[in-house]
Amino acid sequence: MKKLQISAFAAGLVFGIGLLLSGMANPQKVLAFLDLFGAWDPSLALVMAGAIGVGLPVFLLAKGRVLSLLGEKMQLPTRRDIDRPLVIGSLLFGIGWGLAGFCPGPAIVATGAGALKAIVFTAAMLAGMGLFQLASRPQRRQRAS
Amino acid sequence: MTIDWNAFTPLSALAGGALIGLAAALLLLANGRIAGISGIVGGLLERTPGEAGWRLAFVAGLLIGPALWGLFAALPPIRIDAGYPLLVAAGLLVGIGTRYGSGCTSGHGVCGLSRLSPRSLTATLLFMTAGFATVYIIRHLLGA
């Protein structure tokens, strides 16, 4: 395996362990956070705080870099505009998240744990991503021409 | 609002969150890429040359996480109450929404907020609000 794949594998592994430890691979716990007007479990807010607490200084540090430590070109998003796809896409995602308590990372980790319902969710999620891909292809061709 | 103190797990939430941040930091510093799960998985469908290897390796890490955990301790509970039709609808919405909105809880929520991106802050506020509203409607208006 190449170095880039080893580091990405390690990152995925640590990410997955983090999701398991934090309880976020469990949709019941995620929904208990989203149930603001029921018996509220604030844990998810602290997961975000812990992740951003580590991420913020590292992202600040990496801001001026052109190449990564393994010599890859740094690919950080540069857009700052708030457009329709961002708004509508985020709302659709939030509705789906609230329906089942799964977002992409936890769904894949729960799939790895062998939960049948997680496998079904992940398959539907992949289908949704594929549908988006098909629908956006003609637009991209238009933009290119 | 009443806090469910018995369900609240502040220490494991913070520690698990810190690991997630560490993973995002590793992928950024070593690979120069954003640890956004929907972008990594969705990007596999785009088949950009040279990008598939690290993406597959990252997803493999996520999938193998539970097996590694299982070597040392019992897996934490994963309780999925939604029925199959709801899971399929939710999965489609999450798949389409995260790609159309360019990110999910990790890409916008963790990495985007760490970068102080106004786009990611907007996205995070919107999907959180939509999630709160959806659960409110299901649990408190429809009573499911």
Side-chain angles (χ1 to χ4, degrees), chain A residues 6-12 14 58, chain B residues 21-33:
Chain A
I6 293 172
S7 57
F9 176 76
V14 174
V58 177
Chain B
L22 199 68
L26 173 62
L27 195 69
L28 178 76
L29 292 177
N31 293 54
R33 298 292 188 274

Side-chain angles (χ1 to χ4, degrees), chain B residues 79-109:
Chain B
R79 211 182 112 182
I80 307 162
D81 288 329
Y84 286 101
L86 198 60
L87 281 168
V88 170
L92 284 170
L93 282 168
V94 169
I96 295 169
T98 52
R99 294 302 285 152
Y100 196 43
S102 315
C104 58
T105 347
S106 49
H108 280 313

